[in-house]
Amino acid sequence: MNFFTKPRLICRLLLSVIAGVLFLSYMTSSKQERTLLYFQQSDGGIGIEERYLPPLSESEFAVSLVNELLLGPADHRFLRFADPELRLRSCFVRDNALYIDFPAQVLTPDIKAPDFHTVYTLLRKNIAVNCKNIGAVYFYIDGVPAYVKNYHSSTDNKKS
Protein backbone atom coordinates (compact mmCIF):
# COMPACT_ATOMS: atom_id res chain seq x y z
CA MET A 1 0.00 0.00 0.00
CA ASN A 2 1.50 3.24 -1.15
CA PHE A 3 1.31 6.23 1.24
CA PHE A 4 1.52 8.84 -1.53
CA THR A 5 -1.39 7.93 -3.76
CA LYS A 6 -3.01 10.51 -5.99
CA PRO A 7 -6.30 10.76 -3.97
CA ARG A 8 -4.38 11.20 -0.70
CA LEU A 9 -2.19 13.92 -2.17
CA ILE A 10 -5.27 15.78 -3.47
CA CYS A 11 -6.97 15.52 -0.04
CA ARG A 12 -3.86 16.76 1.77
CA LEU A 13 -3.44 19.62 -0.70
CA LEU A 14 -7.10 20.65 -0.24
CA LEU A 15 -6.80 20.45 3.56
CA SER A 16 -3.67 22.60 3.57
CA VAL A 17 -5.32 25.19 1.27
CA ILE A 18 -8.37 25.33 3.55
CA ALA A 19 -6.15 25.62 6.65
CA GLY A 20 -4.15 28.40 4.99
CA VAL A 21 -7.28 30.35 4.01
CA LEU A 22 -8.70 30.00 7.54
CA PHE A 23 -5.42 31.16 9.08
CA LEU A 24 -5.18 34.19 6.79
CA SER A 25 -8.81 35.17 7.39
CA TYR A 26 -8.26 34.92 11.15
CA MET A 27 -5.15 37.09 10.99
CA THR A 28 -6.77 39.78 8.82
CA SER A 29 -10.17 39.90 10.56
CA SER A 30 -10.99 42.88 12.73
CA LYS A 31 -10.58 42.31 16.43
CA GLN A 32 -13.46 42.81 18.88
CA GLU A 33 -13.40 44.45 22.30
CA ARG A 34 -14.97 42.64 25.22
CA THR A 35 -17.64 44.83 26.77
CA LEU A 36 -19.70 44.25 29.91
CA LEU A 37 -23.25 45.58 29.80
CA TYR A 38 -25.34 46.01 32.94
CA PHE A 39 -29.11 45.51 32.78
CA GLN A 40 -31.79 45.25 35.43
CA GLN A 41 -33.13 41.74 35.89
CA SER A 42 -36.88 41.15 35.93
CA ASP A 43 -36.60 40.12 39.60
CA GLY A 44 -35.07 43.50 40.52
CA GLY A 45 -31.35 42.64 40.63
CA ILE A 46 -28.61 43.76 38.27
CA GLY A 47 -27.26 41.36 35.67
CA ILE A 48 -24.20 41.48 33.44
CA GLU A 49 -24.16 40.59 29.77
CA GLU A 50 -20.95 40.16 27.79
CA ARG A 51 -20.73 41.47 24.24
CA TYR A 52 -17.96 42.01 21.75
CA LEU A 53 -17.94 45.35 19.95
CA PRO A 54 -15.57 46.61 17.26
CA PRO A 55 -12.68 48.75 18.50
CA LEU A 56 -13.37 52.43 17.87
CA SER A 57 -12.05 55.74 19.14
CA GLU A 58 -13.22 56.58 22.67
CA SER A 59 -15.94 59.01 21.56
CA GLU A 60 -17.25 56.72 18.81
CA PHE A 61 -17.18 53.77 21.20
CA ALA A 62 -19.25 55.65 23.80
CA VAL A 63 -21.94 56.47 21.22
CA SER A 64 -21.83 52.89 19.93
CA LEU A 65 -22.20 51.61 23.50
CA VAL A 66 -25.30 53.74 24.11
CA ASN A 67 -26.86 52.46 20.88
CA GLU A 68 -25.98 48.88 21.88
CA LEU A 69 -27.62 49.38 25.28
CA LEU A 70 -30.78 50.70 23.64
CA LEU A 71 -30.94 47.60 21.45
CA GLY A 72 -31.60 45.74 24.66
CA PRO A 73 -30.29 42.60 26.29
CA ALA A 74 -29.97 39.25 24.55
CA ASP A 75 -30.97 37.44 27.76
CA HIS A 76 -34.75 37.34 28.25
CA ARG A 77 -34.34 37.65 32.05
CA PHE A 78 -33.08 41.22 31.70
CA LEU A 79 -35.26 44.29 31.09
CA ARG A 80 -34.82 46.68 28.19
CA PHE A 81 -34.04 50.33 28.89
CA ALA A 82 -36.72 51.56 26.51
CA ASP A 83 -38.98 50.57 23.64
CA PRO A 84 -37.14 48.78 20.82
CA GLU A 85 -38.17 51.42 18.27
CA LEU A 86 -36.84 54.32 20.39
CA ARG A 87 -34.31 56.45 18.52
CA LEU A 88 -32.10 58.99 20.23
CA ARG A 89 -32.52 62.62 19.26
CA SER A 90 -28.74 63.03 19.57
CA CYS A 91 -25.76 61.40 21.23
CA PHE A 92 -22.21 62.78 21.10
CA VAL A 93 -19.03 63.29 23.10
CA ARG A 94 -17.49 66.71 23.70
CA ASP A 95 -14.62 67.50 26.10
CA ASN A 96 -14.75 64.03 27.71
CA ALA A 97 -18.47 64.39 28.45
CA LEU A 98 -21.21 62.28 26.87
CA TYR A 99 -24.45 64.05 25.94
CA ILE A 100 -27.55 61.93 25.36
CA ASP A 101 -30.85 63.46 24.26
CA PHE A 102 -33.83 61.09 24.52
CA PRO A 103 -37.28 61.63 23.05
CA ALA A 104 -40.11 62.08 25.58
CA GLN A 105 -41.40 58.54 24.95
CA VAL A 106 -38.49 57.19 27.05
CA LEU A 107 -40.53 58.18 30.13
CA THR A 108 -43.57 56.11 29.11
CA PRO A 109 -42.37 52.85 27.54
CA ASP A 110 -44.89 50.40 26.10
CA ILE A 111 -42.88 47.46 27.40
CA LYS A 112 -41.87 46.37 30.88
CA ALA A 113 -38.87 48.55 31.65
CA PRO A 114 -37.18 49.94 34.76
CA ASP A 115 -38.06 53.46 35.92
CA PHE A 116 -36.06 56.27 34.30
CA HIS A 117 -33.86 56.83 37.36
CA THR A 118 -32.72 53.18 37.17
CA VAL A 119 -32.11 53.57 33.43
CA TYR A 120 -30.08 56.71 34.17
CA THR A 121 -28.05 54.92 36.86
CA LEU A 122 -27.36 51.86 34.68
CA LEU A 123 -26.40 53.94 31.65
CA ARG A 124 -23.93 55.90 33.79
CA LYS A 125 -22.53 52.64 35.22
CA ASN A 126 -22.12 51.13 31.74
CA ILE A 127 -20.30 54.24 30.50
CA ALA A 128 -18.07 54.41 33.60
CA VAL A 129 -17.05 50.75 33.31
CA ASN A 130 -16.49 50.64 29.55
CA CYS A 131 -15.37 54.19 28.67
CA LYS A 132 -12.57 55.26 31.00
CA ASN A 133 -12.04 58.70 29.39
CA ILE A 134 -15.67 59.83 29.73
CA GLY A 135 -15.86 61.94 32.87
CA ALA A 136 -19.50 63.05 32.84
CA VAL A 137 -22.77 61.92 31.31
CA TYR A 138 -25.53 64.47 30.64
CA PHE A 139 -29.10 63.34 29.99
CA TYR A 140 -31.70 65.38 28.17
CA ILE A 141 -35.32 64.63 27.36
CA ASP A 142 -36.53 66.55 24.31
CA GLY A 143 -33.66 69.01 24.80
CA VAL A 144 -34.41 69.68 28.49
CA PRO A 145 -31.88 68.50 31.13
CA ALA A 146 -33.24 65.44 32.94
CA TYR A 147 -30.59 65.23 35.67
CA VAL A 148 -28.52 68.16 36.87
CA LYS A 149 -25.56 67.73 39.25
CA ASN A 150 -26.82 64.31 40.39
CA TYR A 151 -30.18 65.76 41.46
CA HIS A 152 -33.33 64.48 39.84
CA SER A 153 -35.19 67.19 37.96
CA SER A 154 -38.47 66.93 36.18
CA THR A 155 -38.85 67.62 32.49
CA ASP A 156 -39.77 71.25 33.22
CA ASN A 157 -36.27 71.67 34.79
CA LYS A 158 -37.46 72.27 38.37
CA LYS A 159 -35.87 70.28 41.19
CA SER A 160 -38.20 67.76 42.76
Side-chain angles (χ1 to χ4, degrees):
M1 185 167 181
N2 191 356
F3 188 73
F4 293 106
T5 63
K6 187 174 182 177
R8 286 185 178 180
L9 286 174
I10 292 173
C11 286
R12 288 191 176 122
L13 178 66
L14 284 174
L15 284 174
S16 45
V17 167
I18 291 171
V21 167
L22 288 174
F23 178 75
L24 287 175
S25 67
Y26 172 75
M27 295 304 288
T28 59
S29 67
S30 63
K31 306 301 179 222
Q32 302 287 312
E33 268 186 54
R34 180 176 174 257
T35 307
L36 298 177
L37 303 180
Y38 296 87
F39 292 99
Q40 184 175 11
Q41 295 175 336
S42 52
D43 64 4
I46 302 297
I48 300 174
E49 187 172 284
E50 182 180 58
R51 290 202 193 159
Y52 289 89
L53 300 176
L56 302 167
S57 70
E58 187 71 29
S59 61
E60 290 174 341
F61 184 75
V63 173
S64 171
L65 182 65
V66 170
N67 287 322
E68 195 71 25
L69 288 166
L70 289 177
L71 282 176
D75 191 336
H76 69 280
R77 295 173 296 156
F78 298 152
L79 299 177
R80 291 178 157 277
F81 287 158
D83 292 329
E85 63 273 354
L86 179 89
R87 298 291 174 251
L88 294 173
R89 292 185 55 184
S90 66
C91 184
F92 60 92
V93 175
R94 182 177 295 147
D95 297 330
N96 293 334
L98 177 65
Y99 296 86
I100 306 171
D101 191 1
F102 293 102
Q105 74 186 52
V106 75
L107 296 173
T108 57
D110 294 333
I111 61 169
K112 182 179 180 186
D115 61 287
F116 189 71
H117 181 69
T118 305
V119 170
Y120 165 77
T121 305
L122 287 173
L123 277 170
R124 285 187 55 143
K125 180 177 180 108
N126 279 298
I127 296 299
V129 168
N130 295 301
C131 303
K132 302 298 183 203
N133 292 334
I134 303 295
V137 180
Y138 297 98
F139 288 84
Y140 296 85
I141 297 176
D142 279 341
V144 179
Y147 286 92
V148 180
K149 296 181 184 173
N150 293 332
Y151 290 106
H152 179 271
S153 67
S154 64
T155 55
D156 62 358
N157 209 19
K158 294 179 185 173
K159 289 184 183 177
S160 48

